[in-house]
């Protein structure tokens, strides 16, 4: 009976497709606006084009997607949702809870998504047991990107402790380089904080503070130490860091202006886009202290409820494309991320991609894989934004470390 229902549904999907109902295509809201991101997006556009699906672009710049989510809310409130939206973790759950997302169960059943999408991702892709979004990738946030030539010139080995990491930055600064390329935007400050907190307190602390929102962890000694490390990092950024976009910070490492950047592996997309190769012009390694753990986020495409049958058919085709093994390789090798399916070989991936895939699998098996706070996978948007505010205020010198930790407790309490 179940098989029959699934079969009927896929016949219906095929019928819509066959009816040439794709003229309308998809309108896609996303925040992939940097050079590397646009290159990856083109893989998706091209893929859909070959299937006759038109593409209307709705880009909203701003890493982490906060601005994109504001625009999305306005569009939905105006009764005009985009057909497909790039979305992260808890936001998917929020929108699904509002009943705004299309159901992808039939397609998922037909293509066996349950068997190939890791459980950690399914927790965000499914709502009340129903598939509501198609995961494109897995990114992780606790990476350092390093300029190989500067490391060689200064005799810097890959740092394996916080002390070595700081010593390397001191050496770079003394030699006239920018030690840490960074852009002073709330989401970038939070991205750094993610891995610094993990480095200080390890998995237990990360779980307690960012996922369980335990006030003792939020306001405790390890949180204070994480903020103190942020002060150390603040001392290594250049004078022009304020407001700088993350991809410009990546360019500083690529150009040999800066030694390190702490950033998610979308930064790799920028190095690749600049014609560089992992392990040659640039290096990747986990933020010292956070080795053995992975803080992840997954870009997913959520399909909004639309009534037009042509648009509905295009949504199904887009979701199907996104989930195909060929697309997962073609897209993620350009984007810097790794596949959202567990059944894909790492053969086509570069050194950092291979490392990322292996570490993701290890972390998943050993219970050290955590949703990223900075990228919407640890707690709901209201709490995430409250944390952003405190982290950024502290980074800009408004609070000392003790006050910041106390503010985390208050801000999180108010946001819940
Ligand atoms: C997204 C990435 C994106 C990055 C910077 C993250 O939240 O998951 O896909 O490249 O923001 O824009």
């Amino acid at each position: 009976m179940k098989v029959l229902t699934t079969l009927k549904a896929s016949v219906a999907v095929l019928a819509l497709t066959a009816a040439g109902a794709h003229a309308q295509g998809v309108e896609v809201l996303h925040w992939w606006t940097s050079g590397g991101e646009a290159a990856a997006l083109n893989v998706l556009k091209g893929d859909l084009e070959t299937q006759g699906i038109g593409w209307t672009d709705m880009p909203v710049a701003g890493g982490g997607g906060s601005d994109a989510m504001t625009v999305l809310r306005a569009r939905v409130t105006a009764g005009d949702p985009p057909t497909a939206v790039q979305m992260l973790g808890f936001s998917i759950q929020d929108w699904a809870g509002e009943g705004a997302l299309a159901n992808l169960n039939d397609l998922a059943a037909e293509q066996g998504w349950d068997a190939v999408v890791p459980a950690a991702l399914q927790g965000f892709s499914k709502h009340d047991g129903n598939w509501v979004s198609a995961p494109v990738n897995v990114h992780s946030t606790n990476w350092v990107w390093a300029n190989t030539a500067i490391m060689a010139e200064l005799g810097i080995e890959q740092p394996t402790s916080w002390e070595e990491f700081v010593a390397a930055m001191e050496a770079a600064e003394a030699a006239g380089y920018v030690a840490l390329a960074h852009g002073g935007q709330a989401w970038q400050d939070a991205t750094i904080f993610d891995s610094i907190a993990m480095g200080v307190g390890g998995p237990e602390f990360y779980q307690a503070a960012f996922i369980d929102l335990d006030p003792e962890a939020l306001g405790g000694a390890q949180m204070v130490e994480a903020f103190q490390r942020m002060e150390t990092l603040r001392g290594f950024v250049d004078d022009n860091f304020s407001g700088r976009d993350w991809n410009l910070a990546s360019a500083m490492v690529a150009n040999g202006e800066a030694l390190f950047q702490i950033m998610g592996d979308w930064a790799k997309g920028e190095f690749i886009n600049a014609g560089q190769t992992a392990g040659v012009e640039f290096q990747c390694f986990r933020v010292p202290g956070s080795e053995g753990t992975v803080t992840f986020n997954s870009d997913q495409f959520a399909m909004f409820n639309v009534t037009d049958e042509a648009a509905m058919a295009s949504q199904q085709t887009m979701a199907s494309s996104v989930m195909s093994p060929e697309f997962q390789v073609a897209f993620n090798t350009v984007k810097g991320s790794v596949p959202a399916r567990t059944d894909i070989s790492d053969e086509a991936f570069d050194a950092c991609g291979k490392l990322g895939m292996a570490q993701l699998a290890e972390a998943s098996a050993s219970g050290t894989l955590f949703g990223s706070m900075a990228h919407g996978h640890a707690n709901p948007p209201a709490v995430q934004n409250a944390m952003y505010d405190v982290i950024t205020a502290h980074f800009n010198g408004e609070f000392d470390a003790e006050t910041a930790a106390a503010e985390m407790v208050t801000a999180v309490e108010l946001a819940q």
Side-chain angles (χ1 to χ4, degrees):
M1 192 55 195
K2 195 157 180 246
V3 173
L4 197 70
T5 327
T6 311
L7 220 120
K8 268 189 197 155
S10 57
V11 167
V13 169
L14 282 176
L16 282 172
T17 314
H22 283 151
Q24 174 158 347
V26 282
E27 188 198 7
V28 185
L29 191 152
H30 63 89
W31 63 94
W32 286 331
T33 55
S34 76
E37 291 173 330
L41 194 69
N42 280 337
V43 175
L44 179 57
K45 277 187 200 167
D47 193 88
L48 293 180
E49 226 164 67
T50 60
Q51 302 182 63
I53 309 270
W55 179 283
T56 306
D57 211 30
M58 181 75 201
V60 183
S66 311
D67 296 341
M69 291 303 103
T70 307
V71 171
L72 173 64
R73 174 63 64 191
R75 286 283 305 266
V76 176
T77 308
D80 179 29
T83 23
V85 180
Q86 177 194 356
M87 216 179 263
L88 298 175
F90 278 86
S91 293
I92 302 171
Q93 295 297 306
D94 278 5
W95 282 107
E98 290 186 29
L101 302 187
N103 184 313
L104 302 174
N105 281 353
D106 292 336
L107 186 67
E110 194 185 320
Q111 301 184 341
W113 295 3
D114 275 297
V116 294
V117 175
L121 262 55
Q122 286 194 29
F124 295 109
S125 318
K126 283 181 170 178
H127 184 77
D128 284 345
N130 297 314
W131 282 93
V132 293
S133 64
V136 187
N137 61 13
V138 184
H139 270 303
S140 57
T141 60
N142 56 326
W143 288 108
V144 178
W145 304 94
N147 180 290
T148 310
I150 302 179
M151 285 178 77
E153 182 199 324
L154 304 179
I156 295 170
E157 300 286 329
Q158 180 182 316
T160 54
S161 66
W162 174 252
E163 290 70 27
E164 284 177 18
F165 188 53
V166 171
M169 289 190 286
E170 277 168 353
E173 201 171 62
Y177 294 107
V178 174
L180 185 68
H182 179 62
Q185 297 174 345
W187 75 272
Q188 291 188 62
D189 299 341
T191 301
I192 293 190
F193 192 72
D194 234 4
S195 10
I196 295 304
M198 181 65 95
V200 168
E204 247 175 69
F205 170 68
Y206 197 90
Q207 170 79 35
F210 297 130
I211 296 164
D212 300 340
L213 306 179
D214 171 0
E216 277 184 30
L218 283 168
Q222 287 166 315
M223 188 61 83
V224 173
E225 192 179 340
F227 278 115
Q228 284 165 344
R229 288 192 180 183
M230 290 295 280
E231 287 164 20
T232 303
L233 294 180
R234 174 71 178 80
F236 286 117
V237 304
D238 66 320
D239 289 345
N240 298 323
F241 85 103
S242 187
R244 174 188 289 134
D245 287 333
W246 67 273
N247 51 313
L248 300 181
S250 304
M252 289 166 69
V253 176
N255 296 340
E257 207 181 311
L259 173 64
F260 294 149
Q261 179 185 23
I262 299 174
M263 190 42 64
D265 40 19
W266 46 89
K268 195 184 83 181
E270 296 307 300
F271 294 106
I272 298 173
N273 197 46
Q276 301 195 342
T277 304
V280 182
E281 293 92 344
F282 69 95
Q283 308 290 322
C284 58
F285 52 89
R286 295 292 172 182
V287 171
S290 77
E291 297 94 341
T293 69
V294 172
T295 43
F296 82 97
N297 66 300
S298 165
D299 292 304
Q300 309 215 10
F301 276 110
M303 306 299 164
F304 273 69
N305 279 326
V306 287
T307 46
D308 183 274
E309 288 199 343
M312 284 163 69
S314 298
Q315 287 179 325
Q316 298 286 330
T317 309
M318 181 170 171
S320 168
S321 289
V322 156
M323 288 303 293
S324 85
E326 298 73 28
F327 172 80
Q328 292 268 333
V329 172
F331 179 90
N332 287 309
T333 45
V334 176
K335 182 70 172 65
S337 37
V338 303
R341 301 175 59 119
T342 51
D343 60 343
I344 291 180
S345 153
D346 68 0
E347 204 187 325
F349 288 79
D350 62 19
C352 296
K354 285 187 169 66
L355 193 64
M357 283 174 80
Q359 292 177 337
L360 183 69
E362 279 162 27
S364 172
S366 63
T368 55
L369 174 67
F370 292 89
S372 153
M373 172 277 291
H375 292 269
H377 281 68
N379 45 55
V383 172
Q384 178 192 349
N385 289 332
M387 289 186 173
Y388 271 29
D389 288 347
V390 178
I391 294 163
T392 284
H394 167 265
F395 201 71
N396 292 327
E398 263 177 63
F399 305 135
D400 62 18
E402 283 78 15
T403 314
E407 286 290 327
M408 283 291 259
V409 179
T410 320
V412 168
E413 200 178 276
L414 288 173
Q416 287 184 88

